[in-house]
């Protein structure tokens, strides 16, 4: 088995956050569904941090273990083509043994933007 580290970004308006929850669509759920197709086996994705419903992410670090010999760049490309445009994998690489996006994180940055304009910003 080898560890793969992904950097993903997503526009989370249509999602109920990162973590799998019954009866709602989540980023982790759709990512794991597509990984299973690409890798031809189930893969459990761990993220450096979890987002809430409707929240977007840039530079989200995700890791998973795989027995697949697919090159990381092929995994990245396939994920983006299957998930885009709302969710994209911007980078992928083989990570060191024992790397876990959640437990290996040394820092997390959260930025909250609240739109108080008279006319809402469509972005």
């Amino acid at each position: 088995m080898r560890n793969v580290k992904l950097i993903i970004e997503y526009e989370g308006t249509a999602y109920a956050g990162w973590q799998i929850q019954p009866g709602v669509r989540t980023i982790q759920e759709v990512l794991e569904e597509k990984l299973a197709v690409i890798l031809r086996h189930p893969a459990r994705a761990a993220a450096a941090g979890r987002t809430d419903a409707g929240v977007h992410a840039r530079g989200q670090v995700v890791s998973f273990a795989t027995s697949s010999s697919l090159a990381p760049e092929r995994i990245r490309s396939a994920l983006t083509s299957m998930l885009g445009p709302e969710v994209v994998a911007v980078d992928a690489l083989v990570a060191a043994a024992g790397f876990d996006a959640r437990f290996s994180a040394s820092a997390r940055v959260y930025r909250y933007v609240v739109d108080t304009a008279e006319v809402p910003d469509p972005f």
Side-chain angles (χ1 to χ4, degrees):
M1 291 291 252
R2 66 186 175 139
N3 265 343
V4 174
K5 175 183 174 182
L6 294 173
I7 307 297
I8 65 170
E9 298 186 347
Y10 50 88
E11 198 285 323
T13 301
Y15 295 88
W18 162 263
Q19 190 170 0
I20 292 176
Q21 303 169 56
V24 294
R25 186 174 179 222
T26 68
I27 300 294
Q28 183 182 18
E29 176 185 29
V30 298
L31 182 66
E32 288 181 3
E33 283 175 0
K34 301 310 181 198
L35 282 172
V37 171
I38 295 163
L39 303 171
R40 297 190 175 142
H41 68 77
R44 186 71 170 169
R50 297 180 301 195
T51 54
D52 291 329
V55 173
H56 317 314
R58 288 196 183 273
Q60 173 71 292
V61 179
V62 174
S63 62
F64 62 91
T66 182
S67 59
S68 171
S69 61
L70 276 175
E73 55 273 6
R74 295 281 312 267
I75 296 169
R76 182 204 57 76
S77 177
L79 273 174
T80 297
S81 70
M82 294 171 83
L83 291 170
E86 293 174 328
V87 181
V88 296
V90 296
D91 198 9
L93 54 105
V94 175
F99 176 80
D100 180 282
R102 179 176 174 202
F103 297 110
S104 300
S106 59
R108 291 175 177 86
V109 175
Y110 297 92
R111 184 176 130 209
Y112 297 89
V113 178
V114 179
D115 183 5
T116 61
E118 186 176 320
V119 177
D121 182 347
F123 300 103

